[in-house]
Amino acid sequence: MDFSLIRGVIPPIVTPVDADECVEEQGLRRVVEHVIAGGVHGILSLGSNGEFYGLDHEQQERAVQITIEQVAGRVPVYMGIGTISTKECVKLARLGETLKAQALTILPPMFLTPSEEELYQHFRKVAEATALPVLLYNNPDRVGNNISVNLIERLADIPNIVGVKDSSGDLTLTSEYIRRTRDKGFKVMAGRDVMILGSLVYGAVGCVASTANIVPALVVEIYEKFIAGDLQGALEAQFKLAPLRMASNLASFPVVTKEAMNLIGLEVGGSILPNTSCSEINRNKLADILKQMGAL
C-alpha cells in the first residue's frame, strides 16, 4: 500500500447482522456504497462501530471479505483487530493479509493492564507478523490502556507501524503524538468526531469517524475544505457535525450509529446483544438532530 493513501476520512463501518447475529450481506454492501458515494478516502472493517467483539472469527472473516469485494479497489480497506492476546492478534493480522486488506488497525489489549514495555512488545510482534501497514488505535476509555507519547515515539520506529488513530479526546495528547513523530513520516488521525478540524490544524492527516457512516459527505467536507485552505468552511462543517456526535450518549455504545442509519433509510438492522436500541424518547431526539442537519 502506498502510505500516502493513509489520509482523509475513514468510516469504521457498521456491520449489519441478521436475527442470528451473523453478517447480513446485502446490508453491508449498502453501507459500503453509501460511504463511498459520500466521498470517503478509505473504509475500516471491524472497527468498534463494526461490533468486532460480537462476531466470531468466521463472521469477522466474512465481513472483511464482503467489504473488500464490494469496495473493488475504489478505496483502501483497513481490517480492525481488537483481541486480547498477542497470538490471536498475530493470527488475525495474517488473516487480513490473506484476505488482501490494504492495512490493519490494532487496539491495545482490553481488560488487561500491560506495562509500556509489554505493550511495545505486543505491537512489535503483531507488526512483524505481517507486511501490511499497521495503524494503532488509541482508545483508553474503551480498553483501559492509553498509548503514551513515549510509547508512540518508540513504535513509530517499527517500519510498518505507520500511524495512530487517537480516540482519547485529549487534543494535547494528539498534538504531542504529531510533534514527537513528525520527522518520522508517522501519520496521526483524529478518532473523536468533534476534534477532526482541531487535529487537522495540528497536523493530523485525517480521521476515523463513526459519523461518516451516517453523513459521510459532511465529514468529508471538513477534511476537503481544510485541505483547500477554507478554514471557515471547514469550521462550519465541523460545527454542523457536532450535534450528531454528541448524540452518541443517547444509547449504549455503539447503538446510536445504527439507529441513525436506520432512521435515514439505510436498513442496517439492530445491534449485537447485549446492546439493544434507543428508547423511543431518545430515538425521537436523534431524529430531530438528523432533521436539523438535513440528513432526514
Side-chain angles (χ1 to χ4, degrees), residues 203-223:
V205 299
C207 63
V208 181
S210 61
T211 52
N213 276 284
I214 308 156
V215 286
L218 177 59
V219 183
V220 168
E221 186 179 346
I222 299 170
Y223 173 77

Side-chain angles (χ1 to χ4, degrees), residues 9-278:
V9 175
I10 302 170
I13 59 171
V14 303
T15 308
V17 294
D18 60 22
D20 296 318
E21 297 187 341
C22 294
V23 177
E24 200 283 289
E25 180 174 344
Q26 294 310 311
L28 181 52
R29 292 184 186 276
R30 280 196 303 273
V31 171
V32 169
E33 290 306 315
H34 173 67
V35 299
I36 287 181
V40 302
H41 306 87
I43 287 176
L44 169 57
S45 177
L46 304 181
S48 50
N49 272 265
E51 298 174 293
F52 68 88
Y53 46 80
L55 301 169
D56 61 25
H57 282 191
E58 180 182 351
Q59 290 301 309
Q60 288 186 17
E61 180 174 351
R62 188 160 177 260
V64 176
Q65 279 181 323
I66 292 169
T67 301
I68 291 173
E69 180 183 307
Q70 189 66 27
V71 168
R74 289 176 286 177
V75 296
V77 176
Y78 298 65
M79 174 179 162
I81 298 174
T83 51
I84 294 175
S85 73
T86 305
K87 179 180 178 180
E88 283 298 298
C89 287
V90 165
K91 182 178 179 180
L92 287 172
R94 289 172 174 162
L95 173 64
E97 195 166 330
T98 299
L99 294 174
K100 300 191 184 307
Q102 280 78 57
L104 304 172
T105 69
I106 305 177
L107 273 169
M110 59 186 74
F111 182 72
L112 306 178
T113 53
S115 67
E116 286 212 353
E117 182 60 27
E118 287 168 332
L119 278 176
Y120 174 81
Q121 295 300 333
H122 170 75
F123 287 128
R124 182 183 64 80
K125 287 177 181 177
V126 178
E128 289 177 350
T130 177
L132 292 177
V134 171
L135 189 72
L136 304 174
Y137 178 7
N138 189 45
N139 195 342
D141 289 351
R142 295 290 166 202
V143 304
N145 297 308
N146 186 57
I147 304 177
S148 72
V149 178
N150 287 338
L151 181 54
I152 280 289
E153 195 169 19
R154 290 181 67 195
L155 289 166
D157 289 329
I158 296 171
N160 64 324
I161 295 183
V162 298
V164 62
K165 167 194 174 183
D166 184 24
S167 295
S168 67
D170 180 351
L171 193 55
T172 299
L173 182 64
T174 304
S175 66
E176 281 297 284
Y177 280 173
I178 294 165
R179 184 179 72 85
R180 296 270 290 271
T181 63
R182 59 183 173 164
D183 297 330
K184 299 174 184 283
F186 193 75
K187 298 177 181 294
V188 177
M189 305 197 81
R192 285 285 178 99
D193 300 32
V194 293
M195 295 170 61
I196 297 168
L197 180 56
S199 300
L200 289 171
V201 169
Y202 268 109
V205 299
C207 63
V208 181
S210 61
T211 52
N213 276 284
I214 308 156
V215 286
L218 177 59
V219 183
V220 168
E221 186 179 346
I222 299 170
Y223 173 77
E224 292 190 341
K225 286 194 170 178
F226 174 79
I227 293 299
D230 181 3
L231 189 59
Q232 188 60 42
L235 180 60
E236 290 305 317
Q238 177 73 84
F239 283 158
K240 184 176 180 181
L241 180 68
L244 181 58
R245 175 60 181 84
M246 300 304 289
S248 63
N249 63 359
L250 292 177
S252 54
F253 176 85
V255 168
V256 167
T257 307
K258 277 186 171 177
E259 289 274 6
M261 295 175 79
N262 286 327
L263 282 168
I264 65 174
L266 281 171
E267 299 179 15
V268 297
S271 296
I272 295 175
L273 296 174
N275 286 339
T276 53
S277 60
C278 286

